[in-house]
Amino acid sequence: MPNAAFLGIGHYLPEKVVSNDDLAQLMDTSDEWIQQRTGIKTRHYVDFENNPMGASDLATLAAKNALDNAQITTDEIDLIIYATLSPDRFFPGDAVFVQSKLGIPAGVPALDIRNQCSGFIYGLNIANAFIQSGQYQKILLIGSEVHSTGLDFSNKGRDVAVIFGDGAAAAVLGPSDDPERGVVHVNMHADGRHADELHCPYPSSAEMPRATPQAIEEGRHFPLMNGKNVFKHAVSKMPESVKEALNATGLTSEDIKLLIPHQANLRIAEMVQRRLKLRDDQVFNNIQKYGNTTAASIPLALSEAVQEGRLEKGDLLCLTAFGAGFTWGAALIRW
Ligand code: ACO
């Protein structure tokens, strides 16, 4: 049974860079508060006045870069898996838009998954299982988000608005011809008892009618977060799932060449690093530049780490995520 290996990776970021000082023009916040609490200095937003784009547009550009990196053409892709919490439309899912925008042949299946910050880990597990089963050979796995159109930039939403950024990244996965290379282990978890701790309540199929001007006026379409509780669970669940992965494979923290934690908040990533007793050179963070891009955050960091030459053939890469749901998980990959 061949495991899935990364054949290529790429990312795309919209050009508009928004600083903490820019946000301080819109709400009562400061560069000092944001950096101290989250480590974030800037994030990228789609420039809606000059170049409007949805998550599927960002995803398409990221996927093109991943395909170029893998030196694979669109007609070789036999499955698309797409993770986002900010799809272009309520339905259909975004994967079909990427399929038509990229020119991936009709008939190729396009699967959307809804696992927020853990989307890439969930997607990797699904892709690996399909590749192991032999059902699909070349899978495009995408994480993409446009948060900037769904944030409350008033004081009421400032705890959430300062955290998120727009961006996309994609990987091409295929069966490894080298038994030493590819996905070694993936675990994924969820605990729906905490679904209300971080969520976007509106629009909702549980309401009649589904959308009203009054609900929009009340701001019910903005995300809500219990930051302290999210923080508390993130710093315990991510190390727990990494330890589960290491125990399952007989490996240790010392074997990890690079850990890429979901870029939720630099303070969370630093605490995960401490709990796993990892050195600074074993961890890659880029939240300082991009904020939290949820489903895109892990592949975006991986794409940059690869560009910076942080991984060589045979290195042990560890990914871990935690997000809304709550959902979490970890993966070990032999690069
Ligand atoms: N600027 C200035 N002040 C703010 C801001 C802001 N942007 N946001 C909140 N405050 C204020 C609060 O109103 C509060 O004021 P008060 O003391 O007068 O009531 C004060 O700052 C402290 O607020 P807390 O919520 O207690 O601040 P905390 O230290 O918990 O930090 C934060 C908030 C950064 C959101 C933190 O809880 C956090 O990072 N949680 C994790 C959430 C996360 O990472 N979410 C990402 C999505 S989920 C995921 O990817 C894992």
Side-chain angles (χ1 to χ4, degrees):
M1 273 201 318
N3 291 332
F6 282 75
L7 307 180
I9 185 143
H11 64 269
Y12 175 79
L13 290 153
E15 277 169 25
K16 186 171 158 188
V17 178
V18 176
S19 69
N20 295 339
D21 288 334
D22 292 333
L23 292 182
Q25 308 285 316
L26 306 173
M27 63 187 85
D28 189 7
T29 191
S30 67
D31 179 47
E32 193 194 359
W33 192 97
I34 299 170
Q35 283 209 49
Q36 225 171 49
R37 299 293 215 291
T38 71
I40 300 165
K41 296 179 181 174
T42 54
R43 71 285 291 144
H44 288 233
Y45 284 174
V46 170
D47 181 354
F48 265 83
E49 273 164 36
N50 299 308
N51 188 17
M53 283 177 160
S56 78
D57 296 308
L58 270 54
T60 302
L61 294 166
K64 269 190 188 148
N65 290 335
L67 289 164
D68 286 350
N69 184 249
Q71 297 186 302
I72 278 175
T73 56
T74 48
D75 54 4
E76 290 177 72
I77 295 295
D78 54 7
L79 173 65
I80 305 163
I81 304 176
Y82 184 123
T84 187
L85 64 70
S86 52
D88 296 16
R89 301 185 195 177
F90 208 74
F91 77 88
D94 259 8
V96 294
F97 294 118
V98 171
Q99 178 180 24
S100 74
K101 284 173 188 173
L102 265 181
I104 291 175
V108 168
L111 173 67
D112 279 67
I113 56 170
R114 295 286 308 270
N115 302 93
Q116 301 66 248
C117 307
S118 309
F120 194 78
I121 300 269
Y122 270 63
L124 184 63
N125 207 11
I126 297 166
N128 191 41
F130 274 131
I131 285 169
Q132 283 181 330
S133 77
Q135 197 171 354
Y136 298 107
Q137 304 294 319
K138 297 271 175 353
I139 300 178
L140 184 58
L141 172 60
I142 307 170
S144 180
E145 306 286 2
V146 173
H147 282 293
S148 56
T149 46
L151 297 172
D152 179 358
F153 292 103
S154 76
N155 282 349
K156 195 171 152 220
R158 63 183 177 167
D159 57 331
V160 176
V162 300
I163 289 176
F164 291 111
D166 301 344
V172 180
L173 300 160
S176 169
D177 42 14
D178 175 352
E180 299 293 304
R181 203 178 147 215
V183 172
V184 179
H185 170 98
V186 192
N187 62 62
M188 50 187 191
H189 300 281
D191 185 350
R193 291 174 302 173
H194 302 286
D196 289 343
E197 297 295 275
L198 176 53
H199 68 127
C200 185
Y202 202 78
S204 164
S205 63
E207 291 186 37
M208 184 70 183
R210 191 171 283 179
T212 63
Q214 193 198 338
I216 303 288
E217 252 167 55
E218 289 165 6
R220 290 181 51 220
H221 56 302
F222 293 128
L224 294 169
M225 176 176 74
N226 177 349
K228 281 199 181 357
N229 206 23
V230 172
F231 196 106
K232 193 180 89 187
H233 282 82
V235 297
S236 75
K237 294 300 182 195
M238 282 196 275
E240 228 175 82
S241 56
V242 171
K243 284 178 188 162
E244 178 188 335
L246 293 171
N247 290 339
T249 51
L251 295 161
T252 69
S253 286
E254 279 160 36
D255 295 315
I256 296 174
K257 178 67 196 295
L258 201 63
L259 170 78
I260 298 183
H262 164 51
Q263 301 293 290
N265 175 325
L266 191 60
R267 306 297 158 238
I268 292 177
E270 287 166 347
M271 209 172 278
V272 170
Q273 175 181 341
R274 278 200 297 280
R275 291 191 172 178
L276 291 169
K277 300 189 170 51
L278 295 171
R279 302 180 306 274
D280 287 352
D281 66 281
Q282 288 177 287
V283 183
F284 189 88
N285 291 305
N286 63 3
I287 190 171
Q288 300 92 329
K289 294 184 285 183
Y290 308 127
N292 179 344
T293 57
T294 51
S297 106
I298 288 180
L300 173 55
L302 178 58
S303 180
E304 280 208 342
V306 169
Q307 278 182 348
E308 290 178 21
R310 296 284 297 269
L311 285 166
E312 285 174 16
K313 191 170 179 290
D315 283 345
L316 186 69
L317 167 69
C318 182
L319 311 175
T320 185
F322 177 87
F326 293 147
T327 56
W328 66 97
L332 290 174
I333 298 125
R334 200 52 85 179
W335 197 251

